[in-house]
Amino acid sequence: MTKRSLVTGGSGFIGSHLCERLLAQGHEVLCVDNFFTGRRANVEHLLDQKRFELLRHDITFPLYVEVDEIYNLACPASPIHYQFDPVQTTKTSVVGAINMLGLAKRLKIPVLQASTSEVYGDPTVHPQVEGYWGNVNPIGPRSCYDEGKRCAETLFFDYHRQHKMDIKVIRIFNTYGPRMHPNDGRVVSNFVVQALQGKDITIYGTGKQTRSFCFVDDLVEGMMKTMATKPGYTGPVNLGNPVEQTVGELANTVVRLVGSSSKVVYSDLPMDDPKQRKPDISKARAELNWEPRVPVEEGLKRTIAYFDDLLSRQSGQDTRGA
């Protein structure tokens, strides 16, 4: 029997890849997005498929559809975008979660929440395990996203306890790949675009802060494996790459892979920016039989190729730094 999957935030960077994979597995896909950060271009190649439907909708308003499972990805995920309208960011995480949980409750179907490593804040435990409660500033400029996602997790587990619902919660660590927004302010897209344009590469802080980068294909595989677990498996489960590197090391790798003349410059570190980020994925390995398989350099080459093509089409000329 063909499953009908609802993907909120489905025209975003991660959501569009998930829609693609679900279609490849024979699902019908209802992609819902308000296009605040998602882009129609990300799913345009899917529009001629009979099993794909695109609906413009903001999940802070109720949605009445008939589906078999819900992937709730809707929310701006980069600081530039989620701080642009912080009240709306919190509403998307909290009210959006209530609306999707209400829909799943009515239909008696599983619902997966795309949470984030940001629930750990600026962690005092390293690497981060799912049992760690986090170190989050509740009133800072990043709180709309961090606390919004933490509240969404609370709602998911309360609906599970109170209404016996089949919930799944994943915590996504830094993900990168084709279809990232070129102006989202994330470190990978920033560095790649700057290197391709031959501009200075801006590192915020000393560059000693660490991140762990997971290629989008690996993440989508982990999401689908989580959804496929039996009722009663709730998570939360970390999905990310346990290979840790400094931001400075990433900048040097990008410059080398692009073959750019870009120089590295330094700027002030934003408030509450985490100093370390590395997932412990023991649970994902044991419970989902999942771990990332795409090496960072291979993923970066594919990401660079995407941005090179995108920027070339935008400018009508070669974008590589001389």
Side-chain angles (χ1 to χ4, degrees), residues 149-160:
K149 289 288 191 177
R150 285 163 68 94
C151 185
E153 287 197 18
T154 300
L155 285 162
F156 266 70
F157 277 89
D158 282 339
Y159 267 77
H160 171 66

Side-chain angles (χ1 to χ4, degrees), residues 46-275:
L46 304 176
L47 291 174
D48 60 352
Q49 295 202 33
K50 292 179 180 177
R51 289 180 286 105
F52 181 77
E53 183 180 354
L54 177 60
L55 173 65
R56 186 178 193 128
H57 180 81
D58 185 329
I59 65 162
T60 60
F61 298 93
L63 180 64
Y64 301 101
V65 292
E66 300 298 320
V67 292
D68 300 309
E69 60 184 15
I70 302 170
Y71 289 86
N72 186 34
L73 277 64
C75 190
S78 71
I80 284 178
H81 291 145
Y82 66 63
Q83 290 175 14
F84 176 77
D85 188 345
V87 172
Q88 184 63 26
T89 296
T90 303
K91 286 172 69 175
T92 302
S93 287
V94 177
V95 180
I98 291 170
N99 286 333
M100 290 305 103
L101 285 160
L103 177 60
K105 177 172 174 269
R106 179 177 71 82
L107 297 174
K108 299 181 173 60
I109 60 172
V111 54
L112 179 143
Q113 168 67 6
S115 191
T116 171
S117 60
E118 296 299 332
V119 301
Y120 300 122
D122 187 6
T124 56
V125 170
H126 193 74
Q128 290 80 61
V129 294
E130 290 87 350
Y132 175 52
W133 291 357
N135 177 38
V136 178
N137 178 357
I139 58 170
R142 301 169 67 103
S143 306
C144 58
Y145 184 68
D146 302 0
E147 295 288 35
K149 289 288 191 177
R150 285 163 68 94
C151 185
E153 287 197 18
T154 300
L155 285 162
F156 266 70
F157 277 89
D158 282 339
Y159 267 77
H160 171 66
R161 285 185 286 260
Q162 191 170 335
H163 301 297
K164 312 303 180 195
M165 284 179 54
D166 184 7
I167 65 157
K168 321 283 182 186
V169 175
I170 61 171
R171 291 176 177 164
I172 299 172
F173 283 68
N174 296 72
T175 304
Y176 70 102
R179 299 187 201 139
M180 293 184 82
H181 198 292
N183 301 316
D184 67 4
R186 296 189 206 187
V187 66
V188 172
S189 49
N190 270 5
F191 288 177
V192 169
V193 169
Q194 288 168 342
L196 285 168
Q197 294 177 333
K199 296 179 179 178
D200 289 341
I201 288 186
T202 306
I203 290 180
Y204 295 97
T206 63
K208 301 292 186 187
Q209 65 270 39
T210 66
R211 297 292 183 269
S212 306
F213 300 100
C214 182
F215 192 64
V216 63
D217 290 359
D218 284 329
L219 175 68
V220 167
E221 179 74 16
M223 295 174 79
M224 294 176 69
K225 283 194 168 190
T226 306
M227 182 62 90
T229 56
K230 294 178 180 178
Y233 181 84
T234 61
V237 60
N238 290 336
L239 295 181
N241 189 348
V243 178
E244 184 181 19
Q245 62 181 291
T246 68
V247 170
E249 288 168 344
L250 175 71
N252 292 332
T253 301
V254 169
V255 168
R256 173 171 56 81
L257 292 176
V258 170
S260 174
S261 59
S262 296
K263 301 290 187 289
V264 173
V265 297
Y266 295 87
S267 188
D268 292 338
L269 191 68
M271 183 178 175
D272 297 332
D273 196 62
K275 300 174 192 67

Side-chain angles (χ1 to χ4, degrees), residues 283-294:
K283 283 181 70 172
R285 285 189 174 116
E287 297 167 2
L288 305 176
N289 190 29
W290 177 88
E291 64 182 329
R293 305 202 179 280
V294 179

